[in-house]
Amino acid sequence: MTRALIVIDVQESFRARPLWATISDPKIADQVNRLVRLARQAGDLVVWVLHPSPAAATSSTRPSATSG
């Protein structure tokens, strides 16, 4: 069976949102990175889905696309 990990809307632009400090999980990046690393080690496809937002376009922490 072919498997894929789909990572949806996990990007830096969320930090630009007003509620980030209230609802954020500081460990989310580490958790996502771990899942991505394990998926790649298993030979699974990793798909990143990034939703552009006005906050991302004006934020100094714009998300960057990486291959893989």
Side-chain angles (χ1 to χ4, degrees):
M1 171 173 28
T2 302
R3 299 183 304 181
L5 172 65
I6 302 173
V7 182
I8 302 174
D9 273 351
V10 179
Q11 60 204 53
E12 289 294 315
S13 66
F14 284 111
R15 294 179 194 257
R17 297 174 190 249
L19 293 178
W20 174 257
T22 306
I23 61 172
S24 70
D25 178 356
K27 297 177 186 172
I28 189 69
D30 292 337
Q31 295 166 351
V32 170
N33 287 334
R34 179 179 174 271
L35 289 172
V36 169
R37 185 183 73 250
L38 292 172
R40 287 180 175 158
Q41 286 175 352
D44 298 334
L45 175 65
V46 176
V47 178
W48 295 88
V49 179
L50 302 178
H51 177 264
S53 70
T58 59
S59 172
S60 62
T61 57
R62 288 184 182 171
S64 61
T66 57
S67 62

